[in-house]
Amino acid sequence: EEMIREIFEIPNITNMGPICLSNELVKFSLKAQVDAWKHAYTKELMKDAQWQVQRTSEFIKDMKKRLDSKVRDLDEVRTVSETLQKIVLLETEVEQTFNLIDNYCQVAKEFGHPMTPSEEQMTVKVRGEWKNLQRLAALAGDRLFRTQENFKRDLLRAVKSFTDEVE
């Protein structure tokens, strides 16, 4: 906006001795170039924001699928445990992605980009999915803890049974 203001501060006519220059076409062209740049820039911002939303949503779905798996053996325990660790490690990155998307949308609004309802609500749905994943992660951690107790009990029984058979 400051650039537009500076453009309009240029006098419409400039006298240079016997020559009179009209700056109106130059001012109009400069403003058109600034507007075209803003449009192209916001288009790219929104395209990147949508890509970030899609990438984050796919990550959340993948983590959700891993957490939903049944825990019947040690490999499945490892998978769920690694998934929980990954969610904790990437929590800050996901929040930063949300902030980045919000910033993109704010810049687009400031540059006069007409926001569609889906663009306005872009992060709302994914933030909800993220909160749901965090809730599921807490439940999976509890489930993993209970399963660990059962595995330990079963292992002790198996060891005792094995020692009884060997003796």
Side-chain angles (χ1 to χ4, degrees), residues 3-56:
M3 191 178 294
I4 299 286
R5 186 183 48 76
E6 287 179 19
I7 290 171
F8 282 111
E9 287 178 357
I10 298 171
N12 287 340
I13 297 174
T14 303
N15 291 317
M16 297 178 67
I19 300 173
C20 179
L21 298 173
S22 173
N23 297 322
E24 288 184 52
L25 288 176
V26 172
K27 288 170 56 173
F28 177 76
S29 294
L30 286 173
K31 180 170 180 334
Q33 286 297 317
V34 168
D35 289 343
W37 179 85
K38 283 182 176 180
H39 177 74
Y41 183 69
T42 57
K43 184 178 176 182
E44 288 302 312
L45 277 181
M46 296 313 295
K47 190 163 75 172
D48 189 46
Q50 289 170 347
W51 178 80
Q52 294 283 352
V53 166
Q54 182 180 359
R55 182 179 70 103
T56 304

